[in-house]
Amino acid sequence: MLLIRADISGVSGDMILCSLIHITGDKTIATSVAKEIEGICGFCNQLEIEFTEFRDGIQLNLNVDESRPSVGELRKCFMKVAGKFLRDKHLRCAVNAFEELISVETKIHRGVGIHELASADTILDIVAVNAYFQKLGGDVFFTAPKLGSGTVKCEHGEIAVPVPAVREILKSHGIPVYIGGTGELTTPTGISILANGGKFVESFLLPSEAGAGKGYGTREIENNFIEAYVCQDSDEIVSILTACIDDITPEVLSGAAEELRREVIDLYITPVYMKKSRTGWKVEILCILGKEREVAEKVMKSFGTLGVRVYTAFRIVANRRIEERKVRVSGREFELRVKISYLRGEKLSEKVEYEDLVKISSELNIPLRNVEKEVYRCRKSGNS
């Protein structure tokens, strides 16, 4: 899992790229993409990249000689380069980012050219960043981008920050923002890469510094950099949905909760006092990212609440696997599923699946507590 902090000083394509190069210690992907662009894109006469290395990060410097291509020429070149370096999910993410930039530029300028969209530089950033995502593997998460303030010069004169293309992309993806900073901090290419290749996260825990990378931008402003962190396998981002309910019977509450538990990571209910000291229930649900709206709608239908609060959370979890084992209880042999948990390779615990204990209890017609004692006694003595 990769966490990219865009809340420090915004986000641009070259800053993301440099942070990933710093993490991996591998410049060859970026240089190979640049050579490919220079070799096959007719509008690009020269694309040389150089890196300035600081004590704690990397900065990218470009030497570009190109003519302004048509949208068709740009798209044809992009697809050739992306197709050579990217596969499956990462190819789709790169294409989506590129096409979104074309779309917002076309909309803003009403189909007359792509004035603010770079050419070779844009292809390099999108393809190379996604190639590093591909190399690192796992999901990509990012924080709310800092937008900056003031104005920036373009072909139409000075325009307000954030520029229209950035506003369009943020609005399209519903990405929250961090207001602050001076100048143009978040660029269309940078936010398009994250919006189409990552997921926004509201809260996080910073992993070890050993897994951090820093990419510096070229603007002469204070703290002009982005940080990226490679998180541990035990780190996870989840969505939390909460709702308070005071107009439901305990029976309906229990039935709705049991039905919903089958579709989410976890669900629990806490008694609370609501307005006018009415007793009620707080329902809190953990679900995987991307299923928030689906789960929220089921909560409203099942529990009768009018609204659900949704936010993200960073959690540390143990790795788990299931083993099937045999055990003898009251002279009969049964198959059990045992959940084994690990943290950094060290075994934490073993636990027999509850449903398997219930099944044995039902078949032998003996109390569940007796089954549990017998199963764990057999396993401890090595008879399972």
Side-chain angles (χ1 to χ4, degrees):
M1 187 176 78
L2 187 68
L3 172 66
I4 296 178
R5 289 196 60 191
D7 59 296
I8 300 171
S9 187
V11 56
S12 65
D14 62 307
M15 288 164 67
I16 304 173
L17 179 56
C18 287
S19 70
L20 300 178
I21 292 172
H22 191 214
I23 282 180
T24 60
D26 180 5
K27 299 176 184 175
T28 60
I29 293 176
T31 55
S32 297
V33 173
K35 287 180 181 178
E36 187 71 14
I37 294 170
E38 189 180 55
I40 70 172
C41 297
F43 59 83
C44 181
N45 302 316
Q46 183 181 40
L47 178 58
E48 294 182 351
I49 60 175
E50 297 178 349
F51 299 99
T52 301
E53 298 194 26
F54 301 99
R55 179 183 58 83
D56 59 348
I58 294 177
Q59 184 183 67
L60 174 66
N61 301 293
L62 290 176
N63 184 8
V64 186
D65 178 18
E66 63 180 352
S67 57
R68 176 70 71 181
S70 67
V71 173
E73 290 174 316
L74 187 61
R75 181 179 282 116
K76 183 178 180 181
C77 177
F78 174 84
M79 292 306 299
K80 284 183 178 179
V81 177
K84 178 170 182 177
F85 292 92
L86 303 174
R87 303 181 303 276
D88 303 328
K89 178 183 77 171
H90 297 96
L91 178 58
R92 291 193 299 272
C93 291
V95 170
N96 289 342
F98 175 80
E99 290 296 338
E100 182 164 45
L101 286 174
I102 296 291
S103 177
V104 296
E105 281 286 319
T106 301
K107 177 181 177 181
I108 292 166
H109 300 294
R110 300 181 182 179
V112 183
I114 44 174
H115 303 297
E116 316 310 332
L117 181 60
S119 302
D121 185 10
T122 300
I123 297 174
L124 171 65
D125 288 342
I126 295 176
V127 175
V129 166
N130 277 281
Y132 282 103
F133 286 166
Q134 185 172 267
K135 176 184 176 73
L136 289 165
D139 293 326
V140 177
F141 298 93
F142 63 95
T143 59
K146 183 183 282 189
L147 298 184
S149 62
T151 61
V152 62
K153 290 184 179 181
C154 68
E155 289 192 18
H156 303 288
E158 290 196 5
I159 57 176
V161 171
V163 297
V166 169
R167 292 199 299 269
E168 286 289 330
I169 294 169
L170 291 170
K171 183 171 65 174
S172 174
H173 292 270
I175 299 171
V177 298
Y178 176 23
I179 304 299
T182 304
E184 183 190 19
L185 300 184
T186 292
T187 68
T189 301
I191 194 58
S192 182
I193 290 171
L194 292 187
N196 288 282
K199 301 172 184 176
F200 167 75
V201 60
E202 183 175 304
S203 60
F204 57 90
L205 295 175
L206 290 183
S208 167
E209 287 291 335
K214 184 179 287 188
Y216 282 91
T218 55
R219 292 180 176 84
E220 294 182 0
I221 58 175
E222 187 177 1
N223 296 326
N224 186 27
F225 62 85
I226 198 169
E227 289 181 344
Y229 294 85
V230 175
C231 303
Q232 302 294 328
D233 290 340
S234 57
D235 298 338
E236 185 176 83
I237 305 290
V238 296
S239 288
I240 299 179
L241 290 74
T242 65
C244 290
I245 305 158
D246 65 354
D247 187 19
I248 191 171
T249 65
E251 292 83 3
V252 173
L253 180 75
S254 175
E258 286 306 312
E259 183 178 343
L260 197 54
R261 277 195 177 97
R262 303 188 190 104
E263 303 180 34
V264 298
I265 298 172
D266 199 3
L267 179 152
Y268 59 89
I269 300 171
T270 308
V272 294
Y273 284 104
M274 301 179 66
K275 61 183 179 181
K276 299 180 182 179
S277 295
R278 290 201 302 265
T279 57
W281 311 93
K282 179 180 179 182
V283 178
E284 189 156 345
I285 299 166
L286 270 67
C287 80
I288 63 173
L289 290 174
K291 293 193 66 176
E292 297 88 352
R293 184 169 295 278
E294 176 186 341
V295 173
E297 290 179 356
K298 289 184 178 179
V299 169
M300 289 189 281
K301 291 178 181 178
S302 299
F303 294 97
T305 184
L306 300 180
V308 179
R309 293 175 292 278
V310 181
Y311 56 97
T312 56
F314 185 100
R315 71 171 188 162
I316 299 173
V317 297
N319 295 320
R320 285 154 286 185
R321 62 184 175 88
I322 300 292
E323 285 188 1
E324 292 189 356
R325 298 177 182 176
K326 294 182 179 180
V327 64
R328 296 190 68 82
V329 180
S330 297
R332 286 183 56 184
E333 188 174 79
F334 296 90
E335 285 195 353
L336 292 174
R337 292 168 298 160
V338 181
K339 183 185 292 181
I340 306 173
S341 60
Y342 297 86
L343 188 60
R344 299 186 185 278
E346 180 182 350
K347 183 185 290 187
L348 295 179
S349 64
E350 292 188 10
K351 187 176 181 180
V352 177
E353 289 291 294
Y354 169 78
E355 290 79 6
D356 293 346
L357 296 176
V358 171
K359 182 179 178 181
I360 296 173
S361 172
S362 176
E363 290 190 18
L364 296 180
N365 195 27
I366 59 178
L368 181 62
R369 62 191 301 269
N370 293 355
V371 172
E372 184 179 44
K373 287 181 180 178
E374 181 66 13
V375 166
Y376 280 95
R377 185 192 65 78
C378 292
R379 290 181 58 242
K380 189 173 182 180
S381 64
N383 293 328
S384 60

